[in-house]
Amino acid sequence: MAKNEQWSTRLMLDQSGKVAIVTGARSGLGFEIARALAEKKAKVVMAVRDPAKGSVALEKIRKENSRADVEVMELDLADLASIRRFTEEFKKRYSRLDLLINNAGVMACPYGKTANGFELQFGTNHLGHFALTVLLIDILKKVPGSRVVTVSSGAHSFGMLDFDDLNWEKRRYNRWQAYGDSKLANLYFTKELQRRLDVEGTSMLSVAAHPGWAATELQRHQGWLALVNRFFAQSPGMGALPMLYAATAPDVHGGEYFGPDGRGEIRGYPVRVRSSRRSRDMTVAGKLWEISEKMTGIKW
């Protein structure tokens, strides 16, 4: 990319022959990511909790692009059994995986728990994607230069994991703090995964990205955001660009973080950005990985 050139899907490389999984591809950022990858001729698996709604999204993509090679597969990241079923079925159907886009999530929702008893935001946003990635790591490693892109948020900056109460059973629940914690965990996961890949000497990359402030269905639990979005939010299509850059640009390196280039990283075109100092603590990243293995029962 030329210096100062604003990157968009127009500059995205052809993805022919690549297989991609996009979690949460039914709407919002995930839908835009899936649509763009399909437009560039990747085979896209839209991993969604509700297959019926996923099929509606799939048909929308096919209506716009009759050549799109897209498929819907059921995946509930709040249920480890569903994650295992998904990964087993995927490996039966496919012999390769080039891109895993860990996009799905919940934001600032009321207190709840996953099927396995984890606090809903930490369990879905972090533990669900942790389990998914580790269970797919063998097929990812088969492809030179494969990538895992994990979607974080500017909210990671106020995250502060309490390792004595990750499931919020001792503290009074704060939905925004829990969300920030889960997005901080996404960055720890990205960094620690890349560290482990570097130790093994594999060419696979683990990178992170955030959409800035994008108007999506993720904000459905916060009615006031609908009004604020009219003044500050960018479209889901623009919000998807940092993840697409992280997934496809040739100059991406492991452990990097991408977001919008505008003031406060709220809106704009994708560039490398710097996450919080706390998120770069590799001792904590390693500790979270070990605890995540114990909580999920899924090991590296």
Side-chain angles (χ1 to χ4, degrees), residues 155-207:
H156 85 272
S157 61
F158 57 76
M160 188 180 296
L161 295 178
D162 183 341
F163 284 102
D164 293 323
D165 190 24
L166 290 173
N167 288 320
W168 289 82
E169 295 170 332
K170 302 174 183 177
R171 297 168 289 167
R172 182 178 179 180
Y173 187 64
N174 181 315
R175 64 178 70 188
W176 279 105
Q177 184 64 54
Y179 178 66
D181 291 353
S182 73
K183 294 289 103 178
L184 175 60
N186 288 151
L187 288 172
Y188 285 139
F189 166 71
T190 298
K191 295 285 189 182
E192 177 62 13
L193 175 57
Q194 186 60 53
R195 187 194 70 78
R196 288 169 178 256
L197 295 172
D198 288 343
V199 169
E200 292 189 353
T202 177
S203 62
M204 180 180 160
L205 300 180
S206 171
V207 293

Side-chain angles (χ1 to χ4, degrees), residues 69 104 154 163 209 263 298:
D69 190 357
F163 284 102
R263 179 177 297 180
I298 296 172

